[in-house]
Amino acid sequence: KAGVTQTPRYLIKTRGQQVTLSCSPISGHRSVSWYQQTPGQGLQFLFEYFSETQRNKGNFPGRFSGRQFSNSRSEMNVSTLELGDSALYLCASSLVSGDNYEQYFGPGTRLTVT
Amino acid sequence: AQSVTQLDSHVSVSEGTPVLLRCNYSSSYSPSLFWYVQHPNKGLQLLLKYTSAATLVKGINGFEAEFKKSETSFHLTKPSAHMSDAAEYFCVVSLSGGSYIPTFGRGTSLIVHP
């Protein structure tokens, strides 16, 4: 069974631009969560989508948004990029939502903002 | 509110000796607790989780953790370290029973010497 895939793996953007990251969950998984990992702040939960609806949200500004499609694939968008948005963005999928279900992580997208 | 503190940023052991990675948590309600491992340039992998069942939790690769409510701790142990255990380890707390909104510790880097 294929794992969680994230595209692109690496991305360089300029301050003020916007970016869209993509995540394809494991087949059959309906929940997709997004995380930001930086040396300064560590790992932080961004949001979770389940059945095309945002179910949970972390403490991030509105510049960070996401969506989920009917095939459970998810995209994350960051508008008006700031230097501090440089990070590894991780996506994780699970069968359904909730802490009883193991999350499987993708390898991440490394975003660099210059 | 919830928080998690990993008491050591780095732990260094020799191959074949025991591993102890310490984690203390704070949660207003009954928590779910997790340990994840992240190898270089890889996504996170779940080692084990506590969700209000047995207090001693066994995970993959010989790791286990004990939930101690009185000490608000969830330390990760392994009897004998292997070179392949060298990685970053994250302790995670979430409210149990539904919404999964995780809070991550800052991570502990495990170094294994031959």
Side-chain angles (χ1 to χ4, degrees), chain B residues 27-89:
Chain B
S27 178
S28 301
Y29 302 96
S30 179
S32 293
L33 294 155
F34 309 78
W35 275 99
Y36 282 88
V37 62
Q38 185 178 32
H39 288 93
N41 300 315
K42 296 280 184 68
L44 277 71
Q45 181 183 20
L46 179 67
L47 281 176
L48 49 81
K49 64 179 180 181
Y50 166 79
T51 54
S52 74
T55 56
L56 182 62
V57 182
K58 293 188 183 300
I60 61 171
N61 300 334
F63 285 95
E64 64 180 39
E66 186 172 7
F67 173 69
K68 292 187 176 180
K69 187 175 181 179
S70 61
E71 299 175 12
T72 61
S73 70
F74 191 58
H75 302 334
L76 182 70
T77 61
K78 182 173 181 178
S80 176
H82 192 272
M83 294 297 291
S84 61
D85 294 329
E88 192 83 12
Y89 290 79

Short mmCIF file of all heavy atoms in Angstrom, two decimals, chain B residues 27-89:
data_model
loop_
_atom_site.label_atom_id
_atom_site.label_comp_id
_atom_site.label_asym_id
_atom_site.label_seq_id
_atom_site.Cartn_x
_atom_site.Cartn_y
_atom_site.Cartn_z
N SER B 27 -2.33 18.78 31.41
CA SER B 27 -3.58 18.76 30.67
C SER B 27 -4.75 18.97 31.63
O SER B 27 -4.76 18.40 32.72
CB SER B 27 -3.74 17.41 29.95
OG SER B 27 -4.98 17.36 29.28
N SER B 28 -5.69 19.78 31.22
CA SER B 28 -6.84 20.06 32.07
C SER B 28 -7.78 18.86 32.16
O SER B 28 -8.55 18.74 33.10
CB SER B 28 -7.62 21.26 31.52
OG SER B 28 -6.78 22.39 31.46
N TYR B 29 -7.70 18.00 31.18
CA TYR B 29 -8.60 16.86 31.13
C TYR B 29 -7.80 15.59 30.94
O TYR B 29 -6.57 15.62 30.86
CB TYR B 29 -9.61 17.04 29.99
CG TYR B 29 -10.43 18.30 30.10
CD1 TYR B 29 -10.06 19.45 29.41
CD2 TYR B 29 -11.54 18.35 30.92
CE1 TYR B 29 -10.79 20.61 29.53
CE2 TYR B 29 -12.28 19.51 31.04
CZ TYR B 29 -11.91 20.64 30.34
OH TYR B 29 -12.63 21.80 30.47
N SER B 30 -8.47 14.48 30.88
CA SER B 30 -7.79 13.21 30.68
C SER B 30 -7.09 13.22 29.33
O SER B 30 -7.71 13.43 28.30
CB SER B 30 -8.82 12.07 30.71
OG SER B 30 -8.20 10.84 30.50
N PRO B 31 -5.78 13.00 29.34
CA PRO B 31 -5.03 13.15 28.09
C PRO B 31 -4.85 11.85 27.34
O PRO B 31 -4.92 10.76 27.91
CB PRO B 31 -3.68 13.65 28.59
CG PRO B 31 -3.50 12.92 29.88
CD PRO B 31 -4.88 12.79 30.48
N SER B 32 -4.59 11.98 26.07
CA SER B 32 -3.99 10.91 25.29
C SER B 32 -2.54 11.31 25.07
O SER B 32 -2.24 12.48 24.87
CB SER B 32 -4.69 10.75 23.94
OG SER B 32 -6.00 10.28 24.12
N LEU B 33 -1.65 10.34 25.14
CA LEU B 33 -0.22 10.62 25.04
C LEU B 33 0.41 9.72 24.00
O LEU B 33 0.03 8.55 23.86
CB LEU B 33 0.45 10.41 26.40
CG LEU B 33 0.02 11.39 27.48
CD1 LEU B 33 0.22 10.80 28.87
CD2 LEU B 33 0.76 12.70 27.35
N PHE B 34 1.37 10.27 23.30
CA PHE B 34 2.01 9.56 22.19
C PHE B 34 3.51 9.81 22.22
O PHE B 34 3.97 10.85 22.69
CB PHE B 34 1.48 10.08 20.84
CG PHE B 34 -0.01 10.11 20.71
CD1 PHE B 34 -0.75 11.12 21.30
CD2 PHE B 34 -0.66 9.14 19.97
CE1 PHE B 34 -2.14 11.16 21.17
CE2 PHE B 34 -2.05 9.18 19.83
CZ PHE B 34 -2.78 10.18 20.43
N TRP B 35 4.24 8.86 21.67
CA TRP B 35 5.64 9.06 21.34
C TRP B 35 5.82 8.79 19.85
O TRP B 35 5.35 7.75 19.34
CB TRP B 35 6.55 8.13 22.13
CG TRP B 35 6.92 8.63 23.49
CD1 TRP B 35 6.36 8.27 24.69
CD2 TRP B 35 7.96 9.56 23.81
NE1 TRP B 35 6.98 8.92 25.72
CE2 TRP B 35 7.96 9.73 25.20
CE3 TRP B 35 8.89 10.27 23.04
CZ2 TRP B 35 8.86 10.57 25.86
CZ3 TRP B 35 9.78 11.11 23.70
CH2 TRP B 35 9.77 11.25 25.09
N TYR B 36 6.50 9.74 19.18
CA TYR B 36 6.83 9.59 17.78
C TYR B 36 8.34 9.63 17.62
O TYR B 36 9.05 10.26 18.39
CB TYR B 36 6.23 10.73 16.95
CG TYR B 36 4.77 10.60 16.66
CD1 TYR B 36 3.82 11.11 17.54
CD2 TYR B 36 4.32 10.00 15.48
CE1 TYR B 36 2.46 11.01 17.26
CE2 TYR B 36 2.96 9.90 15.19
CZ TYR B 36 2.05 10.41 16.09
OH TYR B 36 0.71 10.30 15.80
N VAL B 37 8.81 9.00 16.54
CA VAL B 37 10.23 9.06 16.20
C VAL B 37 10.37 9.65 14.80
O VAL B 37 9.52 9.41 13.93
CB VAL B 37 10.90 7.66 16.27
CG1 VAL B 37 10.26 6.69 15.28
CG2 VAL B 37 12.39 7.75 16.01
N GLN B 38 11.39 10.46 14.63
CA GLN B 38 11.67 11.06 13.31
C GLN B 38 13.13 10.83 12.96
O GLN B 38 14.03 11.37 13.60
CB GLN B 38 11.36 12.56 13.32
CG GLN B 38 11.52 13.21 11.95
CD GLN B 38 11.15 14.68 11.96
OE1 GLN B 38 11.33 15.37 12.96
NE2 GLN B 38 10.61 15.17 10.86
N HIS B 39 13.36 10.02 11.95
CA HIS B 39 14.71 9.84 11.45
C HIS B 39 15.04 10.95 10.46
O HIS B 39 14.13 11.55 9.88
CB HIS B 39 14.86 8.45 10.80
CG HIS B 39 14.87 7.33 11.80
ND1 HIS B 39 13.73 6.65 12.17
CD2 HIS B 39 15.87 6.80 12.52
CE1 HIS B 39 14.04 5.74 13.07
NE2 HIS B 39 15.33 5.81 13.31
N PRO B 40 16.31 11.25 10.27
CA PRO B 40 16.71 12.36 9.40
C PRO B 40 16.03 12.31 8.04
O PRO B 40 16.00 11.25 7.40
CB PRO B 40 18.23 12.19 9.29
CG PRO B 40 18.61 11.50 10.55
CD PRO B 40 17.48 10.58 10.88
N ASN B 41 15.48 13.44 7.64
CA ASN B 41 14.84 13.59 6.34
C ASN B 41 13.66 12.65 6.13
O ASN B 41 13.34 12.28 4.99
CB ASN B 41 15.87 13.39 5.21
CG ASN B 41 16.99 14.41 5.30
OD1 ASN B 41 16.75 15.60 5.49
ND2 ASN B 41 18.21 13.94 5.21
N LYS B 42 13.04 12.26 7.22
CA LYS B 42 11.88 11.39 7.13
C LYS B 42 10.71 12.01 7.90
O LYS B 42 10.89 12.89 8.73
CB LYS B 42 12.19 10.01 7.74
CG LYS B 42 13.27 9.22 7.02
CD LYS B 42 12.73 8.55 5.79
CE LYS B 42 13.77 7.69 5.11
NZ LYS B 42 14.12 6.52 5.94
N GLY B 43 9.52 11.54 7.61
CA GLY B 43 8.36 11.96 8.40
C GLY B 43 8.35 11.27 9.75
O GLY B 43 9.22 10.46 10.06
N LEU B 44 7.36 11.56 10.55
CA LEU B 44 7.27 10.97 11.88
C LEU B 44 6.62 9.59 11.82
O LEU B 44 5.76 9.32 10.98
CB LEU B 44 6.42 11.85 12.80
CG LEU B 44 7.13 13.02 13.46
CD1 LEU B 44 7.45 14.10 12.45
CD2 LEU B 44 6.26 13.59 14.58
N GLN B 45 7.02 8.74 12.76
CA GLN B 45 6.44 7.41 12.87
C GLN B 45 5.98 7.20 14.31
O GLN B 45 6.72 7.50 15.24
CB GLN B 45 7.45 6.34 12.49
CG GLN B 45 6.89 4.92 12.56
CD GLN B 45 7.92 3.85 12.26
OE1 GLN B 45 9.13 4.09 12.34
NE2 GLN B 45 7.47 2.67 11.90
N LEU B 46 4.77 6.70 14.47
CA LEU B 46 4.24 6.45 15.81
C LEU B 46 4.96 5.28 16.46
O LEU B 46 5.05 4.19 15.89
CB LEU B 46 2.75 6.16 15.74
CG LEU B 46 2.05 5.86 17.07
CD1 LEU B 46 2.04 7.11 17.95
CD2 LEU B 46 0.63 5.36 16.83
N LEU B 47 5.49 5.50 17.67
CA LEU B 47 6.11 4.43 18.44
C LEU B 47 5.09 3.74 19.33
O LEU B 47 5.03 2.51 19.41
CB LEU B 47 7.22 4.99 19.34
CG LEU B 47 8.56 5.30 18.71
CD1 LEU B 47 9.46 5.94 19.74
CD2 LEU B 47 9.21 4.05 18.15
N LEU B 48 4.30 4.55 20.04
CA LEU B 48 3.29 4.00 20.94
C LEU B 48 2.34 5.11 21.37
O LEU B 48 2.63 6.29 21.17
CB LEU B 48 3.94 3.36 22.17
CG LEU B 48 4.98 4.16 22.93
CD1 LEU B 48 4.39 5.17 23.88
CD2 LEU B 48 5.93 3.22 23.69
N LYS B 49 1.20 4.69 21.96
CA LYS B 49 0.24 5.68 22.42
C LYS B 49 -0.47 5.17 23.67
O LYS B 49 -0.66 3.97 23.87
CB LYS B 49 -0.80 5.99 21.35
CG LYS B 49 -1.69 4.82 20.97
CD LYS B 49 -2.70 5.23 19.91
CE LYS B 49 -3.59 4.04 19.53
NZ LYS B 49 -4.57 4.41 18.47
N TYR B 50 -0.86 6.10 24.52
CA TYR B 50 -1.67 5.83 25.70
C TYR B 50 -2.99 6.58 25.53
O TYR B 50 -3.01 7.79 25.32
CB TYR B 50 -0.97 6.33 26.97
CG TYR B 50 -1.90 6.38 28.15
CD1 TYR B 50 -2.22 5.23 28.84
CD2 TYR B 50 -2.49 7.58 28.54
CE1 TYR B 50 -3.10 5.27 29.91
CE2 TYR B 50 -3.37 7.63 29.60
CZ TYR B 50 -3.67 6.47 30.28
OH TYR B 50 -4.56 6.52 31.33
N THR B 51 -4.10 5.81 25.61
CA THR B 51 -5.42 6.44 25.50
C THR B 51 -6.34 5.90 26.57
O THR B 51 -7.45 5.48 26.29
CB THR B 51 -6.02 6.22 24.10
OG1 THR B 51 -6.02 4.83 23.82
CG2 THR B 51 -5.25 6.95 23.03
N SER B 52 -5.89 5.92 27.81
CA SER B 52 -6.66 5.57 29.02
C SER B 52 -6.93 4.08 29.17
O SER B 52 -7.88 3.71 29.82
CB SER B 52 -7.96 6.36 29.11
OG SER B 52 -8.92 5.88 28.19
N ALA B 53 -6.13 3.26 28.56
CA ALA B 53 -6.24 1.81 28.81
C ALA B 53 -5.12 1.44 29.80
O ALA B 53 -4.95 2.09 30.81
CB ALA B 53 -6.15 1.05 27.51
N ALA B 54 -4.33 0.43 29.50
CA ALA B 54 -3.24 0.02 30.39
C ALA B 54 -2.22 1.14 30.53
O ALA B 54 -1.89 1.83 29.57
CB ALA B 54 -2.56 -1.22 29.84
N THR B 55 -1.71 1.32 31.75
CA THR B 55 -0.77 2.41 31.99
C THR B 55 0.62 2.11 31.43
O THR B 55 1.38 3.02 31.15
CB THR B 55 -0.66 2.73 33.48
OG1 THR B 55 -0.28 1.54 34.18
CG2 THR B 55 -1.98 3.24 34.02
N LEU B 56 0.97 0.83 31.30
CA LEU B 56 2.24 0.47 30.68
C LEU B 56 1.95 0.12 29.22
O LEU B 56 1.22 -0.82 28.93
CB LEU B 56 2.88 -0.72 31.40
CG LEU B 56 4.24 -1.16 30.86
CD1 LEU B 56 5.27 -0.03 31.00
CD2 LEU B 56 4.72 -2.41 31.58
N VAL B 57 2.53 0.89 28.35
CA VAL B 57 2.23 0.76 26.93
C VAL B 57 3.45 0.23 26.20
O VAL B 57 4.55 0.78 26.35
CB VAL B 57 1.83 2.13 26.33
CG1 VAL B 57 1.46 1.97 24.86
CG2 VAL B 57 0.68 2.75 27.10
N LYS B 58 3.25 -0.80 25.43
CA LYS B 58 4.36 -1.35 24.63
C LYS B 58 4.21 -0.88 23.19
O LYS B 58 3.11 -0.83 22.64
CB LYS B 58 4.35 -2.87 24.70
CG LYS B 58 4.67 -3.40 26.10
CD LYS B 58 4.85 -4.90 26.10
CE LYS B 58 5.10 -5.42 27.52
NZ LYS B 58 6.32 -4.83 28.12
N GLY B 59 5.34 -0.51 22.61
CA GLY B 59 5.32 -0.02 21.25
C GLY B 59 6.19 -0.85 20.33
O GLY B 59 6.56 -1.97 20.64
N ILE B 60 6.52 -0.24 19.22
CA ILE B 60 7.33 -0.95 18.23
C ILE B 60 8.82 -0.85 18.59
O ILE B 60 9.22 0.00 19.39
CB ILE B 60 7.11 -0.38 16.82
CG1 ILE B 60 7.52 1.10 16.75
CG2 ILE B 60 5.66 -0.55 16.41
CD1 ILE B 60 7.52 1.67 15.35
N ASN B 61 9.59 -1.76 18.01
CA ASN B 61 11.05 -1.74 18.15
C ASN B 61 11.53 -1.83 19.59
O ASN B 61 12.60 -1.32 19.91
CB ASN B 61 11.64 -0.49 17.50
CG ASN B 61 11.32 -0.41 16.01
OD1 ASN B 61 11.09 -1.43 15.36
ND2 ASN B 61 11.28 0.79 15.47
N GLY B 62 10.76 -2.47 20.46
CA GLY B 62 11.18 -2.69 21.84
C GLY B 62 10.98 -1.53 22.79
O GLY B 62 11.39 -1.59 23.94
N PHE B 63 10.37 -0.47 22.34
CA PHE B 63 10.12 0.68 23.20
C PHE B 63 8.85 0.48 24.04
O PHE B 63 7.92 -0.18 23.61
CB PHE B 63 9.96 1.96 22.37
CG PHE B 63 11.25 2.50 21.83
CD1 PHE B 63 11.67 2.18 20.55
CD2 PHE B 63 12.05 3.32 22.61
CE1 PHE B 63 12.87 2.68 20.05
CE2 PHE B 63 13.24 3.83 22.13
CZ PHE B 63 13.65 3.50 20.84
N GLU B 64 8.84 1.06 25.20
CA GLU B 64 7.65 1.08 26.03
C GLU B 64 7.63 2.37 26.85
O GLU B 64 8.66 3.03 27.00
CB GLU B 64 7.53 -0.14 26.92
CG GLU B 64 8.60 -0.31 27.96
CD GLU B 64 8.37 -1.57 28.79
OE1 GLU B 64 7.96 -2.61 28.22
OE2 GLU B 64 8.59 -1.51 30.01
N ALA B 65 6.45 2.71 27.35
CA ALA B 65 6.30 3.92 28.15
C ALA B 65 5.26 3.65 29.23
O ALA B 65 4.33 2.88 29.04
CB ALA B 65 5.88 5.10 27.29
N GLU B 66 5.43 4.32 30.36
CA GLU B 66 4.50 4.16 31.46
C GLU B 66 3.83 5.48 31.78
O GLU B 66 4.51 6.50 32.00
CB GLU B 66 5.21 3.63 32.71
CG GLU B 66 4.24 3.30 33.85
CD GLU B 66 4.91 2.60 35.01
OE1 GLU B 66 6.15 2.48 35.01
OE2 GLU B 66 4.17 2.18 35.93
N PHE B 67 2.51 5.46 31.79
CA PHE B 67 1.73 6.63 32.16
C PHE B 67 1.62 6.70 33.67
O PHE B 67 1.09 5.78 34.31
CB PHE B 67 0.34 6.55 31.53
CG PHE B 67 -0.61 7.63 31.99
CD1 PHE B 67 -0.40 8.94 31.61
CD2 PHE B 67 -1.70 7.33 32.79
CE1 PHE B 67 -1.27 9.95 32.02
CE2 PHE B 67 -2.58 8.32 33.21
CZ PHE B 67 -2.36 9.63 32.82
N LYS B 68 2.14 7.78 34.27
CA LYS B 68 2.05 7.97 35.72
C LYS B 68 1.29 9.26 35.98
O LYS B 68 1.86 10.36 35.90
CB LYS B 68 3.44 8.02 36.35
CG LYS B 68 4.18 6.69 36.29
CD LYS B 68 5.49 6.73 37.07
CE LYS B 68 6.16 5.38 37.09
NZ LYS B 68 7.43 5.40 37.84
N LYS B 69 0.03 9.10 36.32
CA LYS B 69 -0.82 10.28 36.51
C LYS B 69 -0.34 11.14 37.67
O LYS B 69 -0.35 12.37 37.60
CB LYS B 69 -2.27 9.84 36.74
CG LYS B 69 -3.26 10.97 36.79
CD LYS B 69 -4.68 10.45 36.90
CE LYS B 69 -5.67 11.60 36.93
NZ LYS B 69 -7.07 11.10 37.00
N SER B 70 0.09 10.51 38.76
CA SER B 70 0.50 11.25 39.95
C SER B 70 1.74 12.11 39.67
O SER B 70 1.93 13.15 40.29
CB SER B 70 0.79 10.30 41.10
OG SER B 70 1.84 9.41 40.76
N GLU B 71 2.55 11.66 38.73
CA GLU B 71 3.77 12.41 38.39
C GLU B 71 3.60 13.18 37.08
O GLU B 71 4.55 13.85 36.66
CB GLU B 71 4.95 11.44 38.26
CG GLU B 71 5.26 10.69 39.55
CD GLU B 71 6.36 9.66 39.38
OE1 GLU B 71 7.05 9.67 38.34
OE2 GLU B 71 6.54 8.83 40.29
N THR B 72 2.46 13.08 36.47
CA THR B 72 2.18 13.66 35.13
C THR B 72 3.35 13.40 34.19
O THR B 72 3.87 14.31 33.53
CB THR B 72 1.88 15.17 35.21
OG1 THR B 72 3.00 15.88 35.74
CG2 THR B 72 0.64 15.43 36.04
N SER B 73 3.75 12.12 34.14
CA SER B 73 4.88 11.76 33.29
C SER B 73 4.50 10.65 32.32
O SER B 73 3.56 9.88 32.56
CB SER B 73 6.07 11.33 34.15
OG SER B 73 5.82 10.09 34.78
N PHE B 74 5.28 10.56 31.27
CA PHE B 74 5.08 9.52 30.25
C PHE B 74 6.45 9.27 29.63
O PHE B 74 6.69 9.56 28.48
CB PHE B 74 4.05 9.97 29.21
CG PHE B 74 3.58 8.90 28.27
CD1 PHE B 74 3.00 7.73 28.74
CD2 PHE B 74 3.71 9.04 26.90
CE1 PHE B 74 2.56 6.74 27.88
CE2 PHE B 74 3.27 8.07 26.02
CZ PHE B 74 2.69 6.92 26.52
N HIS B 75 7.35 8.70 30.42
CA HIS B 75 8.72 8.49 29.98
C HIS B 75 8.83 7.29 29.05
O HIS B 75 8.18 6.26 29.25
CB HIS B 75 9.64 8.27 31.18
CG HIS B 75 9.65 9.41 32.16
ND1 HIS B 75 9.36 10.71 31.80
CD2 HIS B 75 9.94 9.43 33.48
CE1 HIS B 75 9.45 11.50 32.86
NE2 HIS B 75 9.80 10.74 33.89
N LEU B 76 9.70 7.42 28.07
CA LEU B 76 9.93 6.36 27.07
C LEU B 76 11.20 5.60 27.43
O LEU B 76 12.22 6.22 27.73
CB LEU B 76 10.08 6.99 25.69
CG LEU B 76 10.28 6.05 24.50
CD1 LEU B 76 9.00 5.26 24.21
CD2 LEU B 76 10.71 6.84 23.26
N THR B 77 11.12 4.28 27.39
CA THR B 77 12.28 3.46 27.74
C THR B 77 12.50 2.34 26.72
O THR B 77 11.57 1.96 25.99
CB THR B 77 12.13 2.83 29.14
OG1 THR B 77 10.98 1.99 29.14
CG2 THR B 77 12.00 3.89 30.21
N LYS B 78 13.74 1.87 26.70
CA LYS B 78 14.09 0.71 25.90
C LYS B 78 15.23 0.02 26.62
O LYS B 78 16.19 0.70 27.03
CB LYS B 78 14.49 1.09 24.47
CG LYS B 78 14.81 -0.11 23.59
CD LYS B 78 15.05 0.29 22.14
CE LYS B 78 15.35 -0.94 21.29
NZ LYS B 78 15.53 -0.63 19.86
N PRO B 79 15.18 -1.28 26.80
CA PRO B 79 16.21 -1.95 27.60
C PRO B 79 17.61 -1.90 27.00
O PRO B 79 18.59 -1.79 27.74
CB PRO B 79 15.71 -3.41 27.66
CG PRO B 79 14.28 -3.36 27.30
CD PRO B 79 14.12 -2.20 26.38
N SER B 80 17.68 -1.93 25.67
CA SER B 80 18.99 -2.02 25.04
C SER B 80 18.99 -1.20 23.75
O SER B 80 18.25 -1.54 22.82
CB SER B 80 19.33 -3.49 24.75
OG SER B 80 20.54 -3.60 24.05
N ALA B 81 19.80 -0.17 23.69
CA ALA B 81 19.82 0.71 22.52
C ALA B 81 20.51 0.04 21.34
O ALA B 81 21.50 -0.69 21.50
CB ALA B 81 20.51 2.02 22.86
N HIS B 82 20.01 0.37 20.17
CA HIS B 82 20.60 -0.10 18.92
C HIS B 82 21.01 1.12 18.11
O HIS B 82 20.40 2.19 18.24
CB HIS B 82 19.58 -0.95 18.15
CG HIS B 82 20.16 -1.71 17.01
ND1 HIS B 82 20.29 -1.19 15.75
CD2 HIS B 82 20.66 -2.97 16.95
CE1 HIS B 82 20.84 -2.08 14.96
NE2 HIS B 82 21.07 -3.17 15.66
N MET B 83 22.02 0.96 17.29
CA MET B 83 22.49 2.09 16.49
C MET B 83 21.35 2.71 15.67
O MET B 83 21.29 3.93 15.49
CB MET B 83 23.61 1.66 15.55
CG MET B 83 24.88 1.24 16.24
SD MET B 83 25.63 2.59 17.17
CE MET B 83 26.17 3.64 15.83
N SER B 84 20.43 1.89 15.21
CA SER B 84 19.32 2.38 14.38
C SER B 84 18.31 3.21 15.17
O SER B 84 17.41 3.81 14.58
CB SER B 84 18.60 1.21 13.71
OG SER B 84 18.07 0.34 14.69
N ASP B 85 18.44 3.23 16.50
CA ASP B 85 17.53 4.04 17.32
C ASP B 85 17.91 5.52 17.32
O ASP B 85 17.13 6.35 17.80
CB ASP B 85 17.53 3.53 18.77
CG ASP B 85 16.94 2.15 18.91
OD1 ASP B 85 16.04 1.80 18.12
OD2 ASP B 85 17.40 1.40 19.80
N ALA B 86 19.07 5.85 16.80
CA ALA B 86 19.50 7.25 16.77
C ALA B 86 18.53 8.06 15.91
O ALA B 86 18.36 7.78 14.71
CB ALA B 86 20.91 7.35 16.21
N ALA B 87 17.88 9.02 16.52
CA ALA B 87 16.82 9.78 15.84
C ALA B 87 16.31 10.87 16.80
O ALA B 87 16.79 11.00 17.92
CB ALA B 87 15.67 8.87 15.43
N GLU B 88 15.33 11.62 16.33
CA GLU B 88 14.65 12.61 17.16
C GLU B 88 13.34 12.01 17.65
O GLU B 88 12.62 11.37 16.88
CB GLU B 88 14.36 13.88 16.32
CG GLU B 88 13.91 15.08 17.11
CD GLU B 88 15.08 15.85 17.71
OE1 GLU B 88 16.23 15.58 17.33
OE2 GLU B 88 14.83 16.72 18.57
N TYR B 89 13.06 12.18 18.94
CA TYR B 89 11.86 11.61 19.54
C TYR B 89 10.97 12.72 20.07
O TYR B 89 11.45 13.65 20.73
CB TYR B 89 12.25 10.65 20.66
CG TYR B 89 12.91 9.39 20.14
CD1 TYR B 89 14.26 9.40 19.77
CD2 TYR B 89 12.20 8.21 19.99
CE1 TYR B 89 14.87 8.27 19.26
CE2 TYR B 89 12.81 7.07 19.50
CZ TYR B 89 14.13 7.11 19.13
OH TYR B 89 14.73 5.97 18.63
#
